[in-house]
Amino acid sequence: MTQLTPNHRPDTPPTEDFTREEVRLRRYFLRQQVPVPDADRELERLYRRHRSQLVRRTAVWGSVAALIALAVWLIPSLVGRQTQQVVHTAPAVDEVTLQTARGERLTIGSADDDDALHALGATLDDGGSRLAYDDRSATPVQMQVLGTPARRTFHVTLSDGTEVWLNAGSRLTYPNRFTDGGRTVELEGEAYFRVAKDAARPFTVKSGPLSTRVLGTEFNVRRYASSDTHVTLLEGSVEVQAGTAPAVRIAPGQDASPSADGTWRVTDVDTDIYCAWRKGLFYFDHVPLREVLCELGRWYDRDVRFDPSADTDAEVFFTARRTDPLEDIVSLLNSLHKAHIRIGEDAILVSKQ
């Protein structure tokens, strides 16, 4: 691996150890002025953890204040090129919102809606970054829908003490209070769950035909589209089922995703890959460039349009901070010379290099 050391000046000519591209990327990192300590620390930790894998690949990395790592490479794909244009639809909301059973749409953080939240048995905590429900509230039980916009995640504590972190462009449907009949929520998009233990009331997450049933555990559920469905377990045990197919139980450190034939594909994974979004990171490992670009479109609130000539099936390893401007991310991806990516008026445009 070529290493960009702190004592190497970014304005010096490239040497045999530093290519022009690496020097350009180092200049990019040195221009960053907004520190993100948690993201920086996680990037460094992920780099150390995967060092044995990274040394076998081509990587580009630099340091900003504290050491951070950003590695990008592409592996030629054995899959044929797509022949259809794909358009990714961006999230439809621009604020964190809560829709009530009466059809009211409340804006989380708006002083005008504080009284309405209290009437639902909810309060805003942690400086307005977390919505919390009180199980002792006497308010009538009613369903609510919490939605997140692009570039925003949000934390909610349900009435039973279960904590949920919603990723961008996601919706969670749940009651303001759980009854004795059980605990069931519905998810569109992606969320991380830390379920409060309650043996008498199993916790179920429904997402389209997918159903995940637990008693008390930590796991991540992702289903933005039927082709992008994952249940990743960190602690405890969960049972996943889709439609009438047999249920499958997975163990910590495993990921379950549906196969084309309706069965479940269970694999041992590094859970950091699936949960890095909670720590403010993009983290992709052997993921088709097409999926990376769709994730960027979802986060930055842009559609993604693919020209049929673009080769977007190659697999990519890519890590970056979610606070980075889209222009900088696109510039780094273009430095790979695998596809030509540009930012249009209302979409990310991808064509042949």
Side-chain angles (χ1 to χ4, degrees):
M1 172 185 294
T2 302
Q3 179 172 329
L4 300 183
T5 56
N7 59 1
H8 177 77
R9 293 181 56 194
D11 55 347
T12 57
T15 67
E16 60 181 0
D17 294 324
F18 298 93
T19 67
R20 293 183 183 276
E21 193 57 50
E22 289 169 331
V23 171
R24 189 187 71 80
L25 288 173
R26 179 167 171 77
R27 288 197 186 108
Y28 159 77
F29 284 120
L30 292 177
R31 286 199 304 268
Q32 305 305 302
Q33 299 297 322
V34 182
V36 186
D38 290 343
D40 291 349
R41 184 166 56 252
E42 286 302 319
L43 279 170
E44 181 180 358
R45 186 181 67 82
L46 288 172
Y47 169 74
R48 289 199 306 266
R49 183 168 180 174
H50 294 279
R51 184 180 180 86
S52 61
Q53 298 178 21
L54 293 172
V55 295
R56 294 193 297 269
R57 307 172 186 174
T58 302
V60 180
W61 66 289
S63 61
V64 184
L67 177 66
I68 67 173
L70 185 149
V72 184
W73 70 87
L74 288 176
I75 301 174
S77 173
L78 298 178
V79 183
R81 296 184 179 184
Q82 297 288 335
T83 58
Q84 294 182 338
Q85 182 186 58
V86 176
V87 177
H88 168 72
T89 302
V93 296
D94 53 11
E95 300 285 350
V96 178
T97 60
L98 184 71
Q99 184 173 337
T100 69
R102 296 180 178 179
E104 299 172 292
R105 186 180 295 273
L106 310 179
T107 299
I108 302 299
S110 170
D112 295 337
D113 292 331
D114 283 349
D115 290 342
L117 287 177
H118 285 297
L120 297 171
T123 57
L124 276 177
D125 296 334
D126 300 339
S129 63
R130 180 173 69 96
L131 187 64
Y133 288 83
D134 187 354
D135 195 34
R136 298 166 297 179
S137 172
T139 57
V141 176
Q142 58 177 288
M143 300 302 292
Q144 299 164 24
V145 182
L146 182 66
T148 52
R151 304 197 72 175
R152 285 288 303 275
T153 61
F154 196 73
H155 181 191
V156 57
T157 301
L158 303 180
S159 62
D160 65 333
T162 291
E163 295 185 83
V164 185
W165 287 263
L166 273 181
N167 201 352
S170 301
R171 288 160 54 92
L172 183 71
T173 303
Y174 57 94
N176 58 332
R177 285 191 296 114
F178 291 111
T179 64
D180 294 336
R183 300 177 292 170
T184 300
V185 301
E186 295 183 12
L187 172 69
E188 298 176 34
E190 183 170 19
Y192 182 95
F193 293 85
R194 182 179 293 158
V195 178
K197 293 183 179 181
D198 187 342
R201 297 188 300 175
F203 192 95
T204 302
V205 180
K206 294 184 177 180
S207 188
L210 173 68
S211 178
T212 305
R213 185 175 182 270
V214 303
L215 294 177
T217 187
E218 292 192 35
F219 61 101
N220 193 81
V221 177
R222 177 184 178 93
R223 191 179 187 276
Y224 283 108
S226 59
S227 60
D228 183 19
T229 300
H230 291 272
V231 178
T232 310
L233 182 62
L234 282 77
E235 294 182 8
S237 177
V238 303
E239 189 176 81
V240 295
Q241 186 174 17
T244 59
V248 173
R249 187 177 294 271
I250 62 175
Q254 290 185 328
D255 175 79
S257 58
S259 301
D261 60 3
T263 61
W264 285 95
R265 181 173 57 252
V266 178
T267 55
D268 294 328
V269 298
D270 178 357
T271 56
D272 281 335
I273 295 174
Y274 295 90
C275 303
W277 64 268
R278 278 191 59 215
K279 300 170 182 176
L281 301 175
F282 291 112
Y283 190 87
F284 303 98
D285 193 357
H286 285 274
V287 174
L289 180 59
R290 177 183 300 272
E291 293 185 21
V292 174
L293 291 167
C294 285
E295 179 70 11
L296 293 176
R298 183 180 299 111
W299 180 255
Y300 289 100
D301 198 12
R302 298 292 184 101
D303 288 345
V304 183
R305 297 175 185 168
F306 298 95
D307 187 277
S309 64
D311 182 7
T312 58
D313 293 321
E315 293 184 337
V316 61
F317 179 94
F318 179 77
T319 66
R321 295 174 299 184
R322 289 177 178 256
T323 53
D324 287 341
L326 176 59
E327 292 78 7
D328 293 339
I329 297 292
V330 167
S331 177
L332 290 174
L333 289 175
N334 276 328
S335 70
L336 299 172
H337 305 295
K338 299 297 182 179
H340 179 61
I341 307 167
R342 62 188 180 91
I343 304 173
E345 183 176 345
D346 60 353
I348 299 173
L349 308 176
V350 186
S351 58
K352 183 178 180 181
Q353 176 63 39

